[in-house]
Amino acid sequence: MKHGSGLHYLKKEEHLYRSRISRRGLATKAPKSVKVEHSRVAGLSKMAKTSTKPWVSSIKDTTQEEMKEVAATGTLEAGERALAELRKRKLIIQRKGHWYSIEKGPEFTTSISKLETDLTADMMATGSWKTSTYKKYNFDAEGVPPNGGALHPLLKVREEFRNIFLEMGFAEMPTSQFVESGFWNFDTLFVPQQHPARDLQDTFYISDPAASKPPPKEYYDRVSQVHTVGGFGSTGYRAPWSDEDSQKLLLRTHTTARSAYMLYKLATRPGGLNGDKGGFKPVKMFSIDRVFRNEATDATHLAEFHQVEGVVADRGITLGDLIGFMQTFFSKMGITNLRFKPAYNPYTEPSLEIFAFHPMLKKWVEIGNSGMFRPEMLEPMGLPRDVHALGWGLSLERPTMIRYGISNIRTL
């Protein structure tokens, strides 16, 4: 059967029904085209010989009705299965639509104003911050991903210093205490209370609280005595002693204050220096931490900087050991052009200033101070007289400047 013959047959049946004629009379009353179609479909039904009764009373086009329903309502009451069938036959296409309702809100305005994102000093000074409108912070925003990161040059050199000390057998001292008393920062180091370094022009003093807790009384009395009247082979400074100056709190001017405290703990440990059980044991200690000094800043000076502190206590060591250690220490960093200059320190004798040549500044730059601790400092702690202690304080910033060719310390 060719495509479309079934539909033509249905139309023919409807024609028979309406004209109320039999198929037998179709040969004389029907058109020629109907005769031809009747001959083609004569074998479809055996009951067509004598019957005049139609097969169906009417023809219902279900697809057409469904299409009309979709056009009117946008859907079918028959459900998703009928819609899927129409989509499959490509008779309908499903589209998704959005509708919005817009109305004026409480902040509706016809003018455009820029929202403030930061609170500036000018806004605080003029008072405009009171009437400004600020943009809300989006705390859920992930932000711009960083491209990468690197250690600060100071941290690189600091870690290098630390590794050199550990490689040479040093132990690290605890130096997290930025605030010290005048006793531990100056008095225990045999710095006179009338020294210019203790003035307000050179030291940051704490106003609240202004005084520290008292140190161990026996040690405090020995230190004050060696200052005022002398002792341990020294005549002292023969100057008045002030308990108030000794108890003042300040931002430490050097980490040597911690070195003095650690030496005192070494001398007074149970079964140690003053006992018969263990006796004296040599120590090598270091620290790298911040210190504070009230001075003007320039290309080589800062009010806050890092000090590399080291202490070696043993019997029979000399100033030559200190110079040899400094040369070995800096050679491991690649700095070999050093000079040592005699100097004065209240708590070391002899004393040396350490200089290194800066290729960018074309001059020698002081990078540290060193010396052998005086007996007036060590013996009041309780250390034996034949024990010597070497101490040095090196700058972290200046060797970093030489290493990276930086001419201004403030850029660090």
Side-chain angles (χ1 to χ4, degrees):
M1 182 184 297
K2 293 186 179 179
H3 179 71
S5 59
L7 180 61
H8 195 86
Y9 178 71
L10 291 175
K11 290 181 178 180
K12 182 192 66 173
E13 291 290 339
E14 184 177 4
H15 174 75
L16 291 173
Y17 172 77
R18 292 187 179 182
S19 60
R20 297 295 182 177
I21 62 175
S22 65
R23 289 182 176 80
R24 183 172 298 177
L26 184 63
T28 57
K29 293 186 178 182
K32 292 182 179 180
S33 60
V34 176
K35 293 179 182 180
V36 174
E37 288 298 325
H38 180 264
S39 63
R40 290 181 178 177
V41 299
L44 296 178
S45 177
K46 294 181 179 180
M47 60 178 296
K49 295 180 180 180
T50 58
S51 176
T52 59
K53 187 177 180 180
W55 286 7
V56 293
S57 60
S58 64
I59 297 176
K60 184 177 181 182
D61 193 345
T62 307
T63 302
Q64 186 180 29
E65 293 182 359
E66 288 179 347
M67 295 291 290
K68 290 179 179 180
E69 183 180 354
V70 170
T73 64
T75 184
L76 283 178
E77 188 178 353
E80 179 63 28
R81 188 172 181 180
L83 287 172
E85 183 65 26
L86 293 179
R87 286 196 298 268
K88 183 178 180 181
R89 296 170 62 183
K90 298 183 179 180
L91 296 176
I92 62 173
I93 299 175
Q94 187 176 12
R95 291 189 178 95
K96 189 175 182 180
H98 296 274
W99 289 266
Y100 299 93
S101 177
I102 300 176
E103 58 184 14
K104 293 182 180 180
E107 298 182 0
F108 174 79
T109 180
T110 57
S111 61
I112 299 176
S113 60
K114 183 180 179 181
L115 299 178
E116 300 292 343
T117 57
D118 294 303
L119 187 64
T120 63
D122 293 337
M123 296 170 64
M124 296 292 292
T126 59
S128 62
W129 63 273
K130 299 178 181 179
T131 57
S132 299
T133 305
Y134 299 92
K135 184 178 180 180
K136 292 184 178 180
Y137 281 100
N138 183 9
F139 294 101
D140 296 327
E142 295 182 356
V144 179
N147 295 327
L151 288 176
H152 191 277
L154 275 177
L155 295 179
K156 289 183 179 180
V157 178
R158 181 187 184 279
E159 191 63 23
E160 190 171 351
F161 273 29
R162 185 173 180 273
N163 290 334
I164 292 174
F165 276 120
L166 295 175
E167 178 186 337
M168 300 179 73
F170 281 73
E172 191 167 7
M173 292 184 288
T175 55
S176 58
Q177 183 174 321
F178 291 167
V179 177
E180 293 283 0
S181 65
F183 177 77
W184 288 108
N185 198 80
F186 294 117
D187 294 336
T188 60
L189 303 179
F190 199 57
V191 178
Q193 294 190 339
Q194 296 75 26
H195 196 279
R198 303 180 73 153
D199 294 340
L200 289 173
Q201 291 80 5
D202 295 314
T203 303
F204 294 105
Y205 284 93
I206 306 299
S207 58
D208 186 20
S212 67
K213 295 180 179 179
K217 188 177 186 311
E218 293 183 1
Y219 180 46
Y220 181 82
D221 292 340
R222 291 196 298 267
V223 171
S224 62
Q225 181 180 359
V226 77
H227 274 254
T228 54
V229 299
F232 308 102
S234 173
T235 59
Y237 291 113
R238 305 286 179 173
W241 175 268
S242 171
D243 293 333
E244 181 182 356
D245 290 344
S246 185
Q247 294 177 3
K248 284 182 179 180
L249 287 175
L250 51 91
L251 294 178
R252 64 184 180 199
T253 59
H254 47 202
T255 52
T256 314
R258 286 289 91 186
S259 299
Y261 179 78
M262 295 301 294
L263 287 173
Y264 171 73
K265 296 294 288 183
L266 175 68
T268 57
R269 64 183 179 182
L273 302 180
N274 295 327
D276 297 327
K277 294 182 179 179
F280 172 75
K281 294 181 179 180
V283 294
K284 294 189 293 185
M285 302 177 292
F286 81 98
S287 66
I288 306 174
D289 217 330
R290 283 182 287 176
V291 295
F292 311 87
R293 295 182 186 177
N294 189 7
E295 59 183 22
T297 60
D298 55 28
T300 57
H301 294 83
L302 289 175
E304 177 184 345
F305 56 95
H306 293 78
Q307 179 174 332
V308 183
E309 178 83 13
V311 175
V312 177
D314 200 355
R315 290 183 170 92
I317 54 177
T318 64
L319 189 66
D321 297 308
L322 175 62
I323 295 175
F325 172 80
M326 290 290 102
Q327 291 175 338
T328 303
F329 180 83
F330 281 104
S331 65
K332 291 180 177 291
M333 290 193 61
I335 301 176
T336 57
N337 203 356
L338 297 177
R339 282 184 180 177
F340 299 92
K341 175 185 175 182
Y344 167 76
N345 286 319
Y347 46 90
T348 57
E349 181 62 37
S351 304
L352 294 175
E353 291 178 347
I354 308 170
F355 290 82
F357 187 76
H358 195 301
M360 297 289 292
L361 298 177
K362 304 296 183 183
K363 67 177 184 179
W364 293 89
V365 178
E366 181 185 356
I367 59 174
N369 212 325
S370 62
M372 300 185 67
F373 288 126
R374 297 172 65 105
E376 294 94 331
M377 171 186 166
L378 299 178
E379 293 189 31
M381 296 177 180
L383 290 169
R385 300 196 65 177
D386 60 341
V387 172
H388 298 160
L390 308 176
W392 61 89
L394 310 176
S395 168
L396 180 63
E397 282 77 3
R398 292 179 183 176
T400 305
M401 293 171 62
I402 297 174
R403 165 67 68 83
Y404 292 98
I406 299 173
S407 58
N408 194 330
I409 194 173
R410 289 168 291 195
T411 59
L412 285 175

